[in-house]
Amino acid sequence: MSAQLDALRQAVSFSPDNVPLLLLLGEACLDQFLFEEAKQNFQRALTHDAHHLGAQLGLARASYQEGNLSEAVVRAEAIAAAHPQNGSVWRLLSRLAFIEGHLEEARDHYRQARKVEPGVRDEGLEKDLAVKPPPALPPAGESNRPLPAGAAEADDDDSDPPSYDPEPKDKGPAPVLNPDLPVEFERPTVKFADVGGMSAVKEEIRMKIIYPLQNAELFRQYGKKTGGGVLLYGPPGCGKTLLSRATAGEIKATFLSIGIHQVLDMWLGNSEKNLHKIFELARQNTPTILFFDEVDALASDRGSMKHSAGRNVINQFLAEMDGAIGTNEGILVLGATNAPWQVDPAFRRPGRFDRVLFVPPPDEDARASIIEIMAQGKPVHKLDARALARRTKDFSGADLKAVFDVASEEKLAIAMRENRVVPITTDDLVRAAKSMQPSTKAWFESAKNYALYANQSGFYNDVLAFLGIKK
Ligand SMILES: Nc1ncnc2c1ncn2[C@@H]1O[C@H](COP(=O)(O)OP(=O)(O)OP(=O)(O)O)[C@@H](O)[C@H]1O
Ligand SMILES: [Mg+2]
């Protein structure tokens, strides 16, 4: 991590006027708790562009993180007044209000954040505030996937069964459960067909995961080991979690989903033991896809040592992945992150996450098929998926879902008033899309700089290719 920080510092010293780069360095410093340096970089960005929202937000967050709450509040309130449509600042205000014990205010701010930017979420805060995330409009017949007894509270964002989830199918033999472990455990029914677009990524997953698992014996004869890990990275909301679940669905594997924050927060002290139990659970239920979301959280905590238990957990994790502790035959580890630059290279050694796949935002064709998938089971009249796809450049899958949610809510209100089903039209959807900002651009701003300045061993070549930048 510090190598990356150094690379960024160097890049800034070469182009000291590059605002995105200054912001990136500021963010990287924040991650490492280098508050002073973070602030300096944000301040420098502001000298070039006095109203830069990202730099202002960076400063507010730096004040918050270093515990200077009143300064953080002043900064955040000023930003909210100037940029009321920015969800991140409302989220920060909500956090600040919560810390200061103003629960109602915190809830109001959080609701505001979600209202202006449905993509903005903070699950930890949601739990603290005990606010339910606004429910997506359920189509007729939506089924709720049951959680096993003792399973952790579902992380709604990622664990939501896609609303087009078909009726429950045969779930296969019941998995061996360990009620003490806060993991989500399921046999997904989603398949690749439920994931729009992404044909290249799907094909890679077939080649790298599915065929080896299905032909394990053949692979063994040729001296190839199966198993290992694949790291999916890309902008938020573009289907990493969905695709992981669908991979399990394709091969009828057990899907165990573990949030790294859960590992670190809930099990302090006992983390290694529980991590081992999870791998054991996976070993008892092969084929299993073990899905670690937010891998970057684990990796960046290693640097900061915020949790004293952190390093042990990581070492345990790496040892389990290496198969040093038990056989990993029939286990596939999938990891997902939208901050791959925070993932320690130790995670990418052979036998660990040795394969890395970029999950790009959907292109127009992919958007059209996602839109068609999402319209299934909803009262949509004469959908022109193409037309909507053309008007949703840079939208992620999650953004498209939000488009449907907004349009649905509007129509639902009318339907309740008039007491009849009022169909959603393509125009409604286009209007909803126009009222929203696509969320993937901001990610590429960061990713581009890492790809240009910290592209060790060509890690980000796919990002460069996506951006049309020659290596
Ligand atoms: N290709 C897709 N096809 C169908 N739906 C999609 C697709 N991509 C995203 N979605 C929708 O967006 C939602 C969010 O996607 P998902 O959680 O898989 O994204 P992610 O890449 O894991 O995001 P994050 O980085 O925030 O965890 C999904 O539940 C689904 O409704
Ligand atoms: Mg995800």
Side-chain angles (χ1 to χ4, degrees), residues 196-197 362-370 386 389:
D363 60 15
E364 196 179 304
D365 284 343
R367 290 197 300 277
S369 63
I370 294 174
R386 271 281 137 201

Side-chain angles (χ1 to χ4, degrees), residues 119 156-164 192-198 202 233-245 291 293-294 336-338 359-360 362 366 369-371 373-374 396-402:
D156 284 272
D157 196 22
D158 279 340
S159 63
D160 256 350
S163 45
Y164 42 83
F192 277 177
D194 301 309
V195 183
M198 295 212 215
K202 286 178 191 166
Y233 78 97
C238 290
K240 296 181 292 296
T241 302
L242 180 61
L243 193 63
S244 304
R245 184 174 279 124
F291 178 62
D293 217 346
E294 314 162 25
T337 174
N338 30 39
V359 179
S369 63
I370 294 174
I371 289 162
I373 291 171
M374 285 182 177
S396 69
D399 293 340
L400 291 173
K401 188 163 179 256

Side-chain angles (χ1 to χ4, degrees), residues 77-114:
E77 280 177 347
I79 299 170
H83 304 273
Q85 293 305 315
N86 181 278
S88 305
V89 73
W90 289 110
R91 178 176 54 190
L92 178 58
L93 279 170
S94 170
R95 257 204 177 284
L96 289 163
F98 175 70
I99 293 172
E100 295 187 326
H102 309 309
L103 199 59
E104 264 320 303
E105 197 184 322
R107 287 193 181 126
D108 285 347
H109 290 333
Y110 190 74
R111 284 193 200 103
Q112 186 65 15
R114 295 276 307 173

Side-chain angles (χ1 to χ4, degrees), residues 285-306:
N285 291 286
T286 55
T288 308
I289 299 223
L290 205 48
F291 178 62
F292 287 92
D293 217 346
E294 314 162 25
V295 173
D296 50 284
L298 186 57
S300 61
D301 274 359
R302 171 159 137 138
S304 69
M305 285 292 123
K306 195 167 67 183

Side-chain angles (χ1 to χ4, degrees), residues 100-417:
E100 295 187 326
H102 309 309
L103 199 59
E104 264 320 303
E105 197 184 322
R107 287 193 181 126
D108 285 347
H109 290 333
Y110 190 74
R111 284 193 200 103
Q112 186 65 15
R114 295 276 307 173
K115 189 170 151 211
V116 297
E117 232 178 291
V120 164
R121 281 199 60 186
D122 182 331
E123 279 150 27
L125 191 57
E126 256 166 39
K127 283 195 187 122
D128 288 339
L129 300 178
V131 284
K132 280 255 160 270
L137 181 71
E142 177 178 321
S143 61
N144 281 329
R145 178 171 40 77
L147 282 175
E153 273 182 27
D155 149 6
D156 284 272
D157 196 22
D158 279 340
S159 63
D160 256 350
S163 45
Y164 42 83
D165 204 11
E167 72 281 6
K169 295 199 186 98
D170 173 28
K171 296 223 185 315
V176 182
L177 286 183
N178 180 336
D180 299 335
L181 291 178
V183 289
E184 281 178 50
F185 205 139
E186 58 166 318
R187 289 247 156 77
T189 51
V190 241
K191 294 269 177 63
F192 277 177
D194 301 309
V195 183
M198 295 212 215
S199 42
V201 185
K202 286 178 191 166
E203 192 49 32
E204 288 221 50
I205 291 188
R206 277 198 196 94
M207 293 302 293
K208 288 176 176 167
I209 301 188
I210 297 182
Y211 298 150
L213 202 67
Q214 286 173 340
N215 303 289
E217 188 48 42
L218 201 63
F219 271 71
R220 230 190 326 271
Q221 284 176 12
Y222 282 88
K224 289 244 179 244
K225 271 181 78 174
T226 60
V230 174
L231 181 65
L232 304 173
Y233 78 97
C238 290
K240 296 181 292 296
T241 302
L242 180 61
L243 193 63
S244 304
R245 184 174 279 124
T247 304
E250 283 289 307
I251 50 176
K252 301 199 174 59
T254 311
F255 185 73
L256 267 174
S257 166
I258 301 105
I260 302 286
H261 284 298
Q262 287 176 323
V263 176
L264 290 174
D265 291 349
M266 297 175 60
W267 304 337
L268 272 185
N270 250 338
S271 304
E272 299 103 89
K273 232 167 67 203
N274 284 308
L275 198 55
H276 178 62
K277 281 194 198 153
I278 290 177
F279 272 85
E280 281 301 309
L281 199 57
R283 288 172 188 127
Q284 289 161 19
N285 291 286
T286 55
T288 308
I289 299 223
L290 205 48
F291 178 62
F292 287 92
D293 217 346
E294 314 162 25
V295 173
D296 50 284
L298 186 57
S300 61
D301 274 359
R302 171 159 137 138
S304 69
M305 285 292 123
K306 195 167 67 183
H307 299 275
S308 53
R311 181 171 284 279
N312 292 340
V313 184
I314 288 148
N315 290 341
Q316 177 80 23
F317 182 78
L318 296 178
E320 296 282 357
M321 271 198 97
D322 289 344
I325 298 167
T327 168
N328 285 347
E329 198 71 34
I331 298 184
L332 289 159
V333 184
L334 283 178
T337 174
N338 30 39
W341 35 84
Q342 287 179 7
V343 176
D344 195 295
F347 280 71
R348 303 206 299 268
R349 302 234 172 87
R352 298 174 183 170
F353 291 114
D354 43 11
R355 288 153 292 180
V356 177
L357 293 180
F358 173 52
V359 179
D363 60 15
E364 196 179 304
D365 284 343
R367 290 197 300 277
S369 63
I370 294 174
I371 289 162
E372 268 164 16
I373 291 171
M374 285 182 177
Q376 283 168 25
K378 295 200 176 75
V380 182
H381 183 63
K382 282 196 193 156
L383 174 72
D384 186 348
R386 271 281 137 201
L388 182 58
R390 264 198 307 277
R391 287 174 175 77
T392 44
K393 191 168 172 296
D394 298 321
F395 276 56
S396 69
D399 293 340
L400 291 173
K401 188 163 179 256
V403 168
F404 274 88
D405 287 348
V406 169
S408 299
E409 270 165 34
E410 272 174 15
K411 279 288 147 101
L412 182 62
I414 302 175
M416 287 199 297
R417 227 173 19 242

Side-chain angles (χ1 to χ4, degrees), residues 48-101:
H48 295 292
D49 180 352
H51 301 291
H52 196 291
L53 177 60
Q56 289 176 346
L57 264 173
L59 277 177
R61 280 189 21 234
S63 310
Y64 159 62
Q65 286 189 21
E66 67 180 350
N68 202 339
L69 297 188
S70 42
E71 187 181 321
V73 171
V74 172
R75 287 189 187 282
E77 280 177 347
I79 299 170
H83 304 273
Q85 293 305 315
N86 181 278
S88 305
V89 73
W90 289 110
R91 178 176 54 190
L92 178 58
L93 279 170
S94 170
R95 257 204 177 284
L96 289 163
F98 175 70
I99 293 172
E100 295 187 326

